Amino acid sequence: MMTREEILHHLTAPSAANLFAEARQIRQSTKGNGIFLRGLIELSSICQRNCLYCGMRHDNPKVHRYAMQDDEIVACAALAAQLDFGTVVLQAGECERLWTRERVSTLIRRIKAETGQKVTLSLGERSEADTAEWKAAGADRYLLRFETTDRTLFNQIHPGSPQTDEHPRVAQLLRMREQGYEIGSGVMLGIPGQTLDSVVTDLLTFQTLQLDMVGLGPYLRHPETPLGQSALTSEVPVSVDFTCRCYAITRLLLPNANIPSTTALSTLDPINGRTQGLSSGANVFMPNLTPAFYREGYQIYPGKICVIAPQADSLDALKATFTTLGLHQQNG
Ligand code: 5AD
């Protein structure tokens, strides 16, 4: 067990070199040298929500809104299979009208039958009946970040959230665990108004929930959003070092978890982000397989960098990074 004080110490100590070394050692013993690649497919930029931080929010008129066709999505999954990834992540802006229970079920069945890839869903807050049917159709995992355990802050940045005692996303995660999903969650680091103390609670909550996967990224200001335009700041630093400390602490708290080095981290520092992420206990990387002509529409934050997997050079660059670190791609 790690105490709150120990976690706070890890987050604020002058050097984190020992913390990173310990996290690497634990990853080595639980995961070996293999890094899982998950092919991210961004199905659509159409969103019914108005989250104050997200560039794809419904009320941002400057977004190019697109939605992929089912055949295009299955073709991306086939590419993931060809590249020996093992899993695709179907992510989209929240939109029940577009991603109906039936349509998603059909997609899951097709991807499994036609490509053999595992399917992770990341379609936002959905009903118990929806996620039950998708599980029955063969979905393996669901990603839903709870963004922050601070309920006041959560409600401020998610207009229209229910005023329930229970965190709505935590409630959904627990339901999906009962339904047989592997569950993934996570938070943004450095949201205006977020405190260090609440990040300690976030990290401990990953452990309480025994998450199978934890995604953590720095909060990146989007100028076309209310939060991006506000003067509010956070005592939580937006930095590669702080994000990597959170990866390492998560690795200590959940030795077996799958922890991606996130796109937001690579965007914050395109040169060193992913190397540092993979050097602080992360064991997953999620190359973007969305067709290039759609990508511009999926700007949840500005300057989002994408590993263009179909272009062999950037996938090669990723593999070269693995080799430098003594790691290798692993199917799973
Ligand atoms: N900065 C960083 N991460 C963001 N996300 C959404 N908007 C931003 C932003 N401005 C993250 C949220 C969401 C995930 C898909 O992207 O954590 O869950």
Side-chain angles (χ1 to χ4, degrees), residues 77-78 80-81 84-88 111-112 115-119 140 331:
D84 203 25
F85 283 11
T87 299
V88 288
I111 290 173
K112 300 218 89 163
T115 75
Q117 296 290 287
K118 289 207 174 101
V119 174
D140 299 280
N331 183 303

Side-chain angles (χ1 to χ4, degrees), residues 53-54 91 145 147 188 218-220 300-301:
Y53 49 86
C54 182
Q91 190 177 81
R145 289 189 181 175
E147 314 296 358
M188 288 180 290
Y219 162 72
L220 302 168
I300 47 189
Y301 44 79

